[in-house]
């Protein structure tokens, strides 16, 4: 078994250092910083804090070496999605990320994780892949995953017994994990009014409580949290209101003082590709 679901104990992850990360204007957050230079030393220090938090939580960390030809590879989540049987390779919308297809595929082969399918015609990025429980996967459709990609994912996953639910959200939100994140088996953080009504009904029917945040929190990575299992979650230090609400519900909140990497448009969830969870 590789990844059982989205909230049980996380044991191993794949990450990449932000050595060559730049605020290319490819999403709403990065557009705000497009005329600035990001401080590499600060980013590397932030990423090390992120990795140290994983080590302290007992999570093994594997790396894809940075490469100036794939500056956004630090957002390792996006190349695909991992389930119990292996991983699905996605298909990036932007050509600046195409080299990640090749390099992440090779790294996964080195790590011994089998590819069980690949999106080849449509678009699918892992920031839209939300593993809700052992048999239910929600797939966001904002800017980087489309209907054709969703159909291919269903063709790969439904024969394995997974229910795959498409979740259309505003294009500006970029990925589902920017506006919705499952942080514990029955707890999520979201701008709930940004979610389709039928998906909200599904969450209520499955007893998933939502800590609601305002829409502006999306662009401050207020929802971009990483579940560690055992009621633990990685969050950002600046997410004070969200962190208080998580703690009030019994969550152990591990705060990361990350700001520089965020300028490129991704947070802790974006920077994490789960390899083993169960």
């Amino acid at each position: 078994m590789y990844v059982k679901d989205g909230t049980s104990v996380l044991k191993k992850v794949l990450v990449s250092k932000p050595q060559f990360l730049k605020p290319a204007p490819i999403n709403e957050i990065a557009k705000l910083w497009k005329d600035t230079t990001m401080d590499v030393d600060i980013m590397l220090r932030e990423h090390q804090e992120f990795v140290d938090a994983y080590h302290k939580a007992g999570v093994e960390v594997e790396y894809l070496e940075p490469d100036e030809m794939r500056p956004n590879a630090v957002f390792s989540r996006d190349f695909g999605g991992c389930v119990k049987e292996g991983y699905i390779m996605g298909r990036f919308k932007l050509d600046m990320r195409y080299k990640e297809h090749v390099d992440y595929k090779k790294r996964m082969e080195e790590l011994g994780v089998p590819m069980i399918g690949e999106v080849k015609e449509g678009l699918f990025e892992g920031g839209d892949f939300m593993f809700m429980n052992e048999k239910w996967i929600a797939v966001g459709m904002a800017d980087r995953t489309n209907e054709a990609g969703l159909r291919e994912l269903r063709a790969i996953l439904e024969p394995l017994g997974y229910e795959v639910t498409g979740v259309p959200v505003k294009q500006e939100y970029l990925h589902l994990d920017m506006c919705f994140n499952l942080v514990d088996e029955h707890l999520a953080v979201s701008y709930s009014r940004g979610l389709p009504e039928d998906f909200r009904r599904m969450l209520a029917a499955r007893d998933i409580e939502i800590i609601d945040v305002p829409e502006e929190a999306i662009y401050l990575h207020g929802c971009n949290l990483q579940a560690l299992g055992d009621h633990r979650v990685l969050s950002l230090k600046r997410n004070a209101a969200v962190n208080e609400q998580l703690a009030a519900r019994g969550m152990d909140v591990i705060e990361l003082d990350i700001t520089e990497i965020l300028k490129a448009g991704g947070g802790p969830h974006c920077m994490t590709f789960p390899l083993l969870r169960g």
Side-chain angles (χ1 to χ4, degrees):
M1 182 181 74
Y2 295 95
V3 176
K4 175 184 173 184
D5 55 29
T7 58
S8 55
V9 176
L10 189 60
K11 298 171 182 173
K12 186 188 288 192
V13 298
L14 178 58
V15 306
S16 188
K17 293 182 180 180
Q19 198 109 16
F20 304 102
L21 185 60
K22 297 179 178 66
I26 58 175
N27 59 65
E28 296 304 311
I29 297 170
K31 286 175 185 175
L32 301 174
W33 302 96
K34 68 182 190 317
D35 297 322
T36 66
T37 300
M38 294 170 71
D39 190 311
V40 176
D41 289 338
I42 293 175
M43 288 194 295
L44 290 174
R45 188 167 70 245
E46 290 177 345
H47 198 266
Q48 189 59 52
E49 180 184 341
F50 165 71
V51 168
D52 288 346
Y54 272 135
H55 286 153
K56 190 173 180 182
V59 181
E60 186 180 349
V61 179
E62 298 285 357
Y63 289 91
L64 175 72
E65 288 304 310
D67 183 333
E68 62 183 336
M69 298 301 291
R70 43 174 169 73
N72 280 66
V74 63
F75 302 124
S76 58
R77 170 79 53 170
D78 290 340
F79 77 84
C82 205
V83 293
K84 291 187 285 293
E85 296 81 2
Y87 82 99
I88 302 111
M89 174 59 73
R91 183 165 177 256
F92 285 108
K93 179 179 180 179
L94 303 177
D95 57 6
M96 70 176 289
R97 302 198 69 177
Y98 284 179
K99 194 173 189 296
E100 292 178 52
H101 293 142
V102 177
D103 293 354
Y104 272 116
K105 188 181 287 188
K106 181 182 177 187
R107 188 71 184 105
M108 293 293 273
E109 190 176 327
E110 291 169 354
L111 291 167
V113 183
M115 186 175 76
I116 60 169
E118 184 171 4
V119 171
K120 295 181 177 180
E121 303 297 328
L123 301 173
F124 162 57
E125 296 188 8
D128 287 312
F129 192 85
M130 197 63 58
F131 211 156
M132 303 298 295
N133 63 38
E134 281 194 63
K135 288 296 179 183
W136 181 30
I137 294 163
V139 178
M141 290 179 290
D143 186 48
R144 304 292 173 83
T145 299
N146 61 12
E147 286 279 1
L150 178 65
R151 283 195 299 272
E152 288 179 82
L153 282 172
R154 282 182 168 145
I156 295 164
L157 291 166
E158 286 179 348
L160 298 174
Y162 294 100
E163 176 187 0
V164 181
T165 301
V167 185
V169 295
K170 280 171 65 173
Q171 184 178 2
E172 290 80 9
Y173 299 166
L174 183 67
H175 288 134
L176 182 61
D177 68 0
M178 291 297 289
C179 65
F180 174 87
N181 238 299
L182 194 68
V183 296
D184 208 13
E185 187 178 4
H186 293 285
L187 184 63
V189 176
S190 180
Y191 169 57
S192 62
R193 280 170 293 174
L195 301 174
E197 189 177 339
D198 60 345
F199 184 58
R200 293 202 305 268
R201 283 197 299 266
M202 293 177 83
L203 296 173
R206 300 180 197 213
D207 298 319
I208 295 172
E209 179 191 0
I210 293 178
I211 294 175
D212 213 349
V213 299
E215 188 173 26
E216 54 266 27
I218 294 170
Y219 305 105
L220 296 170
H221 301 89
C223 302
N224 200 263
L225 316 178
Q226 176 60 51
L228 299 180
D230 280 343
H231 315 299
R232 300 169 299 159
V233 62
L234 288 183
S235 184
L236 299 171
K237 189 175 181 180
R238 72 184 192 185
N239 286 342
V242 167
N243 296 346
E244 282 180 23
Q245 292 190 68
L246 288 165
R249 287 161 176 80
M251 296 293 291
D252 179 6
V253 183
I254 299 160
E255 296 184 338
L256 302 172
D257 192 9
I258 293 176
T259 56
E260 194 75 3
I261 294 173
L262 304 183
K263 293 176 182 178
H269 193 266
C270 303
M271 294 192 287
T272 304
F273 189 89
L275 294 171
L276 287 176
R277 189 197 277 277

